[in-house]
Amino acid sequence: MLKAKILFVGPCESGKTVLANFLTESSDITEYNPTQGVRILEFENPHVTSDDKGTACEFELWDCGGDPKFESCWPALTKDSHGVVIVFNADTPSHLKEIDMWYSCFVQQQLLQDTRCLLIAHHKPGSGSDKGNLSLSPPLNKLKLVHSNLEDDPEEIRVEFIKYLKSIVNSVSESRDREEMSIIT
Ligand SMILES: Nc1nc2c(ncn2[C@@H]2O[C@H](COP(=O)(O)OP(=O)(O)O)[C@@H](O)[C@H]2O)c(=O)[nH]1
Ligand SMILES: [Mg+2]
């Protein structure tokens, strides 16, 4: 059984909690840990399995508080994380600057591969769904970027999130295989 820990980070009020709830609808257990500014959702996704025999995969989605006042807790959040999802609002100019910081602290400094990182440009209701003029500067422009708009097209982000989960599972099981090989040989 494969287990993967995925963080949802990004500016305050960007839609992390709304998206986390939406994308883990099937979750069984919900824990709340207010002291650390993080809420942990445990879930499985019927479309994402550990192997081709259909063994389930257990995910932990860590819905992290966006307030840098929790910075002292960040090492506990990033410890043993397998993936980082950065949620922001494309129509909020300050967010475009802030995501540099989230990428730097949660991906670059953790030496997490860029393929383990997903950017979600979340469109709140009434904010329009302009996907056009979003130009991110390097290195963020190399990351996978998807748009979410739960009112206009909720399935789009559901499908993209499943693709992302699958890529995490593949990447985690590959690095696990490599570790096993290095022990044997
Ligand atoms: N109806 C609706 N409200 C949203 C959506 N995304 C964000 N919001 C609202 O925007 C606010 C901030 O969202 P939240 O997920 O709590 O942001 P967080 O601070 O990043 O976790 C909340 O009041 C949400 O109700 C959405 O897709 N639909
Ligand atoms: Mg939240």
Side-chain angles (χ1 to χ4, degrees), residues 11-19 63 122-125 150-151:
C12 290
E13 297 281 301
S14 56
K16 297 180 293 296
T17 298
V18 167
L19 274 172
D63 176 19
H122 183 60
H123 300 263
K124 290 187 188 180
L150 301 184
E151 265 193 348

Side-chain angles (χ1 to χ4, degrees), residues 24-37:
T24 60
E25 254 172 13
S26 56
S27 64
D28 305 326
I29 314 152
T30 303
E31 292 167 25
Y32 186 62
N33 191 342
T35 49
Q36 294 191 334

Side-chain angles (χ1 to χ4, degrees), residues 4-56:
K5 170 179 173 181
I6 293 169
L7 308 183
F8 267 39
V9 299
C12 290
E13 297 281 301
S14 56
K16 297 180 293 296
T17 298
V18 167
L19 274 172
N21 289 344
F22 174 76
L23 294 169
T24 60
E25 254 172 13
S26 56
S27 64
D28 305 326
I29 314 152
T30 303
E31 292 167 25
Y32 186 62
N33 191 342
T35 49
Q36 294 191 334
V38 62
R39 198 176 55 118
I40 303 170
L41 301 162
E42 293 186 0
F43 71 102
E44 290 175 9
N45 187 296
H47 302 287
V48 188
T49 51
S50 303
D51 53 35
D52 45 22
K53 293 184 215 87
T55 312

Side-chain angles (χ1 to χ4, degrees), residues 53-96:
K53 293 184 215 87
T55 312
C57 181
E58 258 176 41
F59 293 100
E60 277 185 3
L61 192 162
W62 290 48
D63 176 19
C64 305
D67 193 327
K69 80 175 179 213
F70 294 120
E71 202 173 334
S72 60
C73 306
W74 289 357
L77 302 181
T78 52
K79 187 176 182 295
D80 302 323
S81 70
H82 300 99
V84 171
V85 176
I86 302 174
V87 181
F88 67 103
N89 299 148
D91 40 62
T92 308
S94 62
H95 282 192
L96 297 177

